[in-house]
Amino acid sequence: TSQVCVSVASCVKELIENSLDAHSTRLQLTFIAHGADLIELTDNGDGIAEHDFEKIGLRYHTSKLSQFEDLENVNTYGFRGEALSSICIYADVTILTRHASASIGTKLIFDGEGQVISRTPFPREIGTTVSIRSLFNRFPVRRTELQSHSKREFSQALNIIQSFAIISRQIQFFQVSSSADNHPPSHPLLTLTPSSSLKDTLAQIFGQKILESIIHIDDNNDDDENKEFKFDGYISRPQHGCGRSSADRQYLYVNNRPIDCAPFLRTINDIYRHFNPNQYPLVALSIEVLDRSTLDINCTPDKRTVFVEHLSNMCDQIRLILNKLFESSSNVYVSSNKRQQETIETNNDIPTPPTKQLKIERFVKKT
């Protein structure tokens, strides 16, 4: 359990998931010292009911499942009851919350075992604020490592934030503020407002210029009744200059859940690099698995790894879609070496420029 939240990014992921599961529409994230001193999320969700106060910090306690069979049809991001317990081990945790059934909010302070050690009335609106202070303070070696690489840790956390902002249509306002030192941030780093489409959200996150270099992935016109998957999203155009030098902006979602799937991403990158060999695409792709019995999301504690029974079929389907999309977009096609050789042989009458010959000499040290 203690290995669920082992970085700034994993803590941020768990906080955002809890907020979205509580039907929040407004989220505000604050970081001090890139998250080493403070990670704080404030939302306007349902709040925490009083009868759950003593349980929320304990291992394997969750209010999102009521019976074992609920695991077969999980509709929430969280359900394992491990995150807050793990965070309490590594940091000082304080929660300010008010449920709709309460007339006033409550301030809860937890110890390293997830037990409530202080409970006091605290005025606030309906919603919850979770504050994580001094991450890894009880583990000096990890604390030193975090402080040494705090900028990299925050960059990974920002990537997680962006992945949720892209897919979560329920979010009406999302603000992120951060400071590199131990002073409170002076201005927001990222502010997102309601958008009507995925394309608009991508423009808010990555800038309006991104719209010129992406193309829509859409297979809704496919009337195959036996189709197992539906795809919807955006990918960089295959022309040179539209992609990126690294695969740092690639977001996959299965049934609206952010996931990691190396074989599927490898398929996408291989296809793209057939058309644009020197770059990687920006990808924001939502995949709907139509038969949920072929999908397992309860594979790892962070719930980022999923098992898809017919993964090879999913890869084949996106391969066909992207090849067709890129061929029509770039007016080029990828030919085999054999076809290229045939083309050269049938065009022998076309003069070719002389090949520049390079003379290579071996230099021997004179004695």
Side-chain angles (χ1 to χ4, degrees):
T1 299
S2 62
Q3 297 303 306
V4 176
C5 296
V6 294
S7 65
V8 173
S10 56
C11 290
V12 168
K13 170 189 169 295
E14 297 296 340
L15 294 185
I16 293 177
E17 287 184 343
N18 283 340
S19 288
L20 295 179
D21 285 342
H23 310 106
S24 304
T25 59
R26 297 177 64 87
L27 290 80
Q28 291 180 272
L29 262 168
T30 302
F31 298 84
I32 294 181
H34 287 144
D37 287 357
L38 176 69
I39 308 169
E40 184 174 87
L41 188 147
T42 299
D43 67 43
N44 66 339
D46 299 334
I48 302 170
E50 185 176 0
H51 58 77
D52 287 327
F53 286 172
E54 302 296 330
K55 304 174 185 176
I56 54 176
L58 303 179
R59 291 184 181 185
Y60 313 125
H61 282 70
T62 179
S63 60
K64 299 168 186 177
L65 299 176
S66 57
Q67 53 188 2
F68 182 79
E69 289 72 18
D70 291 343
L71 282 172
E72 298 178 1
N73 190 27
V74 176
N75 293 313
T76 56
Y77 288 110
F79 55 87
R80 295 171 65 104
E82 297 176 310
L84 193 58
S85 171
S86 176
I87 295 173
C88 286
I89 292 173
Y90 291 123
D92 299 328
V93 178
T94 301
I95 294 180
L96 309 176
T97 187
R98 179 186 166 194
H99 191 262
S101 61
S103 58
I104 192 172
T106 304
K107 180 179 181 179
L108 304 171
I109 299 177
F110 296 82
D111 64 11
E113 297 181 353
Q115 300 279 355
V116 177
I117 58 175
S118 175
R119 173 176 169 176
T120 56
F122 194 92
R124 64 154 296 153
E125 67 281 1
I126 294 174
T128 300
T129 298
V130 180
S131 302
I132 302 172
R133 290 182 169 84
S134 304
L135 185 60
F136 300 136
N137 204 35
R138 303 185 186 100
F139 301 84
V141 177
R142 288 199 187 187
R143 176 72 179 176
T144 301
E145 181 73 10
L146 171 62
Q147 291 174 326
S148 300
H149 302 95
S150 61
K151 190 172 182 180
R152 182 187 65 190
E153 290 273 337
F154 177 71
S155 177
Q156 294 171 353
L158 188 59
N159 189 272
I160 291 289
I161 293 167
Q162 290 169 342
S163 70
F164 280 101
I166 288 171
I167 197 63
S168 302
R169 300 265 71 85
Q170 75 184 64
I171 298 178
Q172 296 179 5
F173 179 81
F174 202 155
Q175 187 176 82
V176 181
S177 303
S178 178
S179 68
D181 51 27
N182 57 1
H183 296 94
S186 57
H187 60 276
L189 177 67
L190 173 69
T191 301
L192 299 179
T193 54
S195 59
S196 58
S197 66
L198 173 58
K199 192 173 184 179
D200 291 340
T201 302
L202 292 174
Q204 282 197 60
I205 296 174
F206 302 118
Q208 289 290 329
K209 191 175 180 180
I210 197 70
L211 302 181
E212 302 171 4
S213 60
I214 57 176
I215 188 170
H216 190 209
I217 303 172
D218 183 10
D219 69 336
N220 289 332
N221 295 326
D222 188 350
D223 297 327
D224 185 2
E225 295 181 356
N226 298 319
K227 185 166 59 174
E228 299 175 274
F229 314 98
K230 288 184 178 180
F231 301 92
D232 185 33
Y234 286 89
I235 190 169
S236 297
R237 294 181 180 275
Q239 288 82 0
H240 182 74
C242 293
R244 297 182 58 79
S245 60
S246 64
D248 60 339
R249 291 183 180 176
Q250 299 188 340
Y251 306 96
L252 292 182
Y253 307 90
V254 166
N255 293 4
N256 291 325
R257 180 183 296 275
I259 66 156
D260 298 322
C261 186
F264 189 76
L265 271 181
R266 193 180 308 119
T267 300
I268 292 176
N269 285 317
D270 287 347
I271 296 167
Y272 187 84
R273 288 171 70 84
H274 273 302
F275 292 84
N276 185 348
N278 300 317
Q279 293 185 306
Y280 295 89
L282 177 149
V283 180
L285 181 61
S286 178
I287 308 159
E288 183 181 356
V289 179
L290 300 179
D291 183 1
R292 290 202 171 192
S293 66
T294 64
L295 174 67
D296 186 355
I297 62 173
N298 190 21
C299 303
T300 56
D302 64 0
K303 305 177 289 292
R304 293 280 299 192
T305 300
V306 300
F307 290 160
V308 181
E309 184 176 355
H310 302 141
L311 179 60
S312 60
N313 293 350
M314 192 168 82
C315 292
D316 290 341
Q317 191 171 332
I318 195 63
R319 186 179 291 109
L320 291 172
I321 292 171
L322 291 183
N323 274 324
K324 182 178 179 181
L325 181 67
F326 290 159
E327 286 175 8
S328 62
S329 171
S330 60
N331 295 322
V332 299
Y333 64 91
V334 179
S335 58
S336 65
N337 291 334
K338 181 178 178 182
R339 180 173 294 182
Q340 290 175 350
Q341 183 64 32
E342 291 173 352
T343 304
I344 293 172
E345 291 174 355
T346 58
N347 288 278
N348 284 334
D349 55 328
I350 301 176
T352 57
T355 304
K356 185 178 180 180
Q357 300 295 326
L358 299 177
K359 184 178 180 181
I360 302 175
E361 297 179 350
R362 178 176 295 175
F363 294 87
V364 180
K365 184 177 180 180
K366 294 181 180 180
T367 58

